[in-house]
């Protein structure tokens, strides 16, 4: 079995981690989170979303966040853009990468972006063309690739069909997302293998919510079939407001600890991320949500 020697981590806490929080999080706190993540060595940070503030109020300060962050040269700051209005906001805010987001399940597509899968593709096409014309990176998220909170099972063929359309649109990366964390390694491998038959594995990433505690096993299973990009969130923050029961993304600290133990490089400073996870959890008034982060913190206080 050949595993990658380097894994790219896309840190999604400023966007996926915070979008579902009910308390008002100040723009200053979001900016500080992103700046600290930049300093810790992440080369790709999902910073915010240019979505309707009526749908996702926590992301209403997207333009301010992007205006106030300190950009680290070489770091990609990504933002979600469901339509041309979102793209225009992203372009004005000097985002490096725009993310269109569709689903493999019709029911989830309706709940999350208020249109069918085929309507969403029609909306994404001009966004993709505009991103290419402006020289921005383009990424696509594909939700409910392993199960849907409304539809239940999702056929692998549906995942492959949408992934292929995203690849044809020229997406640099396509995120195969387990929105509600129900995938288990055998299923995971089957989906990833089917997708990599139509899309180069170097363009595929795994975006796993850890609701059922399967994410580390699923990351290992993904690496075994050639995937080397994963999305993570400090302290396991996150969840989609339109996916009933979805909890946070896999905790960055846990993934970094596993990869370091396996001799796989990420370029990210685990100790700094532990501090960020503990700090951000305190901002939200809750204990740290990463097992590795809490263990490292506890060990520090006893040594
Ligand atoms: P709609 O209501 O059908 O849109 O929403 P519309 O075109 O009819 O416009 C309605 C209003 O929204 C108008 O304003 C527009 O101007 C405004 P009004 O005239 O009523 O004042 N509007 C916008 N405002 C700001 N930015 C925009 C924008 N677009 C329209 N881009 C829409 C359709 C797609 C906009 C809406 O459904 C939406 O914003 N959805 C996003 C929901 C969301 O944020 N979900 C979470 C992110 S996805 C996720 O978490 C999954 C992921 O992590 C992967 C995984 O885990 O599965 C990526
Ligand atoms: Mg997500």
């Amino acid at each position: 079995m050949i595993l990658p020697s380097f894994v790219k981590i896309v840190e999604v806490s400023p966007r996926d981690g915070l979008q579902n929080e009910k308390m008002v999080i100040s723009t200053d706190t979001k900016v500080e989170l992103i700046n600290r993540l930049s300093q810790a060595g992440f080369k790709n940070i999902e910073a915010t979303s240019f979505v309707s503030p009526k749908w996702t109020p926590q992301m209403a300060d997207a333009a301010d966040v992007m205006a106030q962050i300190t950009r680290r040269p070489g770091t990609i700051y990504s933002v979600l853009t469901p339509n041309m209005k979102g793209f225009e906001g992203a372009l004005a805010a000097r985002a490096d990468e725009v993310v269109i987001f569709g689903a493999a399940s019709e029911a989830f597509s309706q709940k999350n972006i208020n249109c069918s899968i085929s309507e969403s593709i029609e909306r994404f096409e001009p966004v993709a063309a505009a991103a290419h014309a402006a020289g921005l990176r383009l990424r696509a998220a594909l939700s409910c690739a392993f199960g849907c909170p409304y539809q239940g099972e999702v056929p692998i063929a549906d995942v492959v069909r949408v992934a292929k359309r995203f690849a044809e649109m020229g997406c640099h990366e396509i995120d195969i997302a387990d929105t509600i964390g129900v995938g288990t390694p055998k299923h995971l491998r089957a989906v990833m293998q089917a997708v990599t038959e139509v899309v180069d594995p170097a363009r595929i990433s795994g975006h796993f919510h850890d609701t059922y505690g399967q994410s580390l096993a699923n990351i290992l299973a993904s690496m075994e079939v050639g995937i080397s990009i994963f999305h993570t969130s400090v302290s396991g923050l996150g969840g989609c407001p339109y996916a009933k029961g979805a909890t946070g993304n896999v905790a960055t600290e846990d993934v970094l600890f596993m990869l370091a133990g396996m001799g796989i490089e990420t370029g990210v400073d685990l100790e700094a991320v532990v501090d960020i996870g503990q700090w951000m959890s305190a901002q939200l008034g809750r204990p740290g949500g990463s097992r590795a982060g809490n263990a490292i913190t506890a060990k520090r206080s006893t040594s």
Side-chain angles (χ1 to χ4, degrees), residues 48-80:
T48 186
S49 296
F50 285 86
V51 294
S52 162
K54 286 185 193 134
W55 283 67
T56 309
Q58 190 64 256
M59 298 286 108
D61 59 355
D64 292 333
V65 169
M66 291 299 284
Q68 289 173 35
I69 56 173
T70 304
R71 293 167 199 239
R72 200 158 184 236
T75 300
I76 296 165
Y77 297 90
S78 313
V79 302
L80 265 58

Side-chain angles (χ1 to χ4, degrees), residues 26-273:
S26 71
T27 303
D28 283 353
T29 302
K30 293 172 185 170
V31 168
E32 184 172 349
L33 174 63
I34 296 169
N35 288 348
R36 290 179 69 155
L37 294 169
S38 300
Q39 289 300 325
F42 293 98
K43 287 282 185 277
N44 195 338
I45 299 171
E46 201 166 270
T48 186
S49 296
F50 285 86
V51 294
S52 162
K54 286 185 193 134
W55 283 67
T56 309
Q58 190 64 256
M59 298 286 108
D61 59 355
D64 292 333
V65 169
M66 291 299 284
Q68 289 173 35
I69 56 173
T70 304
R71 293 167 199 239
R72 200 158 184 236
T75 300
I76 296 165
Y77 297 90
S78 313
V79 302
L80 265 58
T81 53
N83 52 21
M84 279 307 288
K85 189 173 168 84
F87 177 80
E88 280 149 21
L91 188 65
R94 297 191 300 115
D96 302 296
E97 179 176 71
V98 293
V99 184
I100 50 180
F101 50 105
S105 132
E106 283 293 349
F108 185 76
S109 181
Q110 288 290 350
K111 294 269 186 195
N112 195 40
I113 49 174
N114 208 22
C115 62
S116 68
I117 295 172
S118 66
E119 283 165 342
S120 76
I121 300 290
E122 277 169 35
R123 269 185 210 170
F124 296 149
E125 263 159 3
V127 176
H132 294 317
L136 299 189
R137 280 178 60 89
L138 175 69
R139 172 149 67 77
L142 209 174
S143 289
C144 297
F146 305 93
C148 169
Y150 309 103
Q151 172 185 313
E153 283 183 24
V154 174
I156 293 179
D158 292 355
V159 182
V160 172
R161 195 176 53 247
V162 182
K164 196 158 175 276
R165 283 297 296 121
F166 283 147
E168 287 161 359
M169 278 184 210
C171 292
H172 295 91
E173 277 170 35
I174 300 170
D175 316 325
I176 306 300
D178 192 354
T179 313
I180 51 170
V182 289
T184 47
K186 201 171 157 194
H187 183 196
L188 191 292
R189 202 174 284 122
V191 172
M192 288 301 195
Q193 261 166 347
V195 172
T196 54
E197 274 165 29
V198 295
V199 184
D200 179 355
R203 290 166 67 189
I204 301 289
S205 71
H207 176 108
F208 304 141
H209 286 263
D210 204 24
T211 313
Y212 291 85
Q214 302 301 299
S215 298
L216 288 180
N218 287 341
I219 288 175
L220 181 57
S222 304
M223 290 195 296
E224 287 171 0
V225 294
I227 310 300
S228 59
I229 309 171
F230 297 100
H231 294 193
T232 68
S233 175
V234 285
S235 200
L237 297 171
C240 176
Y242 299 101
K244 225 176 359 175
T247 59
N249 298 86
V250 62
T252 309
E253 300 90 317
D254 296 357
V255 175
L256 293 178
F257 185 85
M258 179 179 89
L259 295 176
M262 295 173 75
I264 297 172
E265 288 190 29
T266 59
V268 179
D269 178 352
L270 171 59
E271 294 291 330
V273 178

